[in-house]
Amino acid sequence: MRYSGFRVIAEALTGHKGWKPVWRDPTPQPDYDYIIVGGGGHGLATAYYLAKEFKQARIAVLEKGYLGGGNVGRNTTIIRSNYLLDGNEPFYEFSLKLWEGLEQDFNYNAMVSQRGIMNLIHTDAQRDAFTRRGNGMILHGADAVLLSRDEVKAIYPFLNFDNARFPIKGALAQKRGGTVRHDAVAWGYARGADLRGVDLIQNCEVTGMRIENGKIRGVETSRGFIGAKKVGVAVAGSSSRVMSHAGMRLPMESHVLQAFVSEGLKPLIDGVMTFGAGHFYVSQSDKGGLVFGGDIDGYNSYAQRGNLPVIEDVAEGGMALMPMIGRARLLRTWGGIMDMSMDGSPIIDKTGVEGLYFNGGWCYGGFKATPASGWCFAHLLATDQPHKTATAYRFDRFAKGLMIDEKGQGATPNLH
Amino acid sequence: MIINHPILGPRDAQEFVYLGDASLINRPDGLTASPAEMHDYVYLRDNPAGLHRELWYHEQGDRSWLVVTRNTVTHEITKVEMARDVARSMGRSK
């Protein structure tokens, strides 16, 4: 069933009796050609592109809970491609281009809104670094523009421009960046995959992997053994837990990142704004709530909730940037679990087990990567070759000294 | 989170800096270890869901290193030891 304006009118005239469940609830088959572990944004996108772009069949997505119940429903919905390094920028620009055509591609309203993102500048050194990054983006075909203090002031006159510690001196802006309705991304991909015959199997936890002679045979699940020729794992946040079934230790730690939303306010911030120096970023949802966040809590966690010190830290960042935010009440806070990799960049690669593939380590930048991550992982699964924009996301980059150290801080598991 | 310091008593976790898995105490000898051993030590982690022994540094206190046993699913802290004692019990610093 295609969605369209005519369809909405037709249904309105006939009492909305024609709408059907958006995807099936199939019983698992004994075996598949492809099993994708993880029914979040990346797993569903992988299944979708595997079926649609790479013309593969007999695909299942196994999800421990319900579709889209993990990080794709817990993030702050920002899309952008403002990276510096060669290993990253082409991939994220590929992702942003996929975002731009996504709704037409999967015929679902994901509310992709290119409202623009700006990263604030406070010092000359930061302006130099952002100028370099902006040039890097432009060289890779993305858009970037350096804004002066007055240009920022024309857009957001209420910011605290003369903060004694972090006076605002300008911003690096990407006008094609923006926000997306995150749940709809999962739903759109799920529906698109289901329509192409992918079995979306919920409440099905992978509890083990059957590996014989170095080759994957299938996965043990809470709903019994399911055989597969190829298994792709896309469970960022729980990557270490799932890959331990294959005896692997990963170059990552799981950390909790909190997010926040205020009560609904009148239109205030029409784009996305990051105040990196103050560990704070903010946008405004279409319902009016300010959606904001800051840094990870900073200790290993699988709890999906954080602690009060980070809430205080984020609130302080918000107050420093836009003091009137102190009048708004906080409506909700929540936490999501991140794969924090050792260089701040993801992994999309084969493993030492034939037929077992891995996608994870997204740190707290996984949402914007969803379409390209799915596409590149599907490419790897279908062709056994990395997609040209994802060749740097290898496991062995740590052993070979080829880290993608976007922040230039060396090997620690607390980078973006 | 409150960390019950063996010497100073209960202290707010905000006074501490977190380093990670306490297995980092077992650093291989850089002169004799193979590149693979050093790679595994520096980059790979068990990253368990459940009990996790980890290193916390009391930066805003007595600047001691602690080994804290904490549940990564509930954040409950069940044991706090001086990292010095843990390391010595494993035969280091001899």
Side-chain angles (χ1 to χ4, degrees), chain A residues 2 10 54 68 81 136 139 152 169 179 190 198 207 237 287 306 311 325 340 346 357 374 397 401 404 407 410 416:
Chain A
R2 273 192 73 76
F54 296 93
S81 68
L139 286 170
V152 176
K169 300 290 192 185
T179 60
V198 174
T207 55
K287 288 188 287 186
I311 297 179
I325 200 176
M340 298 305 291
Y357 302 79
R397 67 175 187 262
I404 315 162
K407 225 174 177 182
H416 195 305

Side-chain angles (χ1 to χ4, degrees), chain A residues 280-406:
Chain A
F280 178 82
Y281 65 91
V282 62
S283 65
Q284 188 168 19
S285 78
D286 292 348
K287 288 188 287 186
L290 298 179
V291 181
F292 55 98
D295 276 351
I296 54 174
D297 272 37
Y299 44 81
N300 287 41
S301 176
Y302 285 93
Q304 290 195 320
R305 57 185 161 72
N307 275 302
L308 290 169
V310 165
I311 297 179
E312 185 179 25
D313 183 59
V314 170
E316 284 172 357
M319 287 293 286
L321 180 67
M322 35 193 288
M324 82 293 202
I325 200 176
R327 300 291 296 275
R329 280 164 293 192
L330 202 57
L331 196 66
R332 290 185 291 129
T333 79
W334 64 96
I337 302 305
M338 315 287 126
D339 280 354
M340 298 305 291
S341 70
M342 289 291 169
D343 61 356
S345 296
I347 292 167
I348 303 175
D349 200 2
K350 300 177 191 176
T351 68
V353 177
E354 193 185 337
L356 178 62
Y357 302 79
F358 178 76
N359 174 334
W362 291 99
C363 299
Y364 39 104
F367 178 71
K368 75 178 94 68
T370 304
S373 167
W375 188 298
C376 293
F377 199 34
H379 186 283
L380 181 69
L381 282 159
T383 67
D384 273 319
Q385 296 295 322
H387 186 267
K388 66 179 194 290
T389 64
T391 53
Y393 296 150
R394 304 164 57 96
F395 271 115
D396 65 3
R397 67 175 187 262
F398 300 99
K400 291 185 170 171
L402 300 172
M403 274 83 81
I404 315 162
D405 186 3
E406 187 77 30

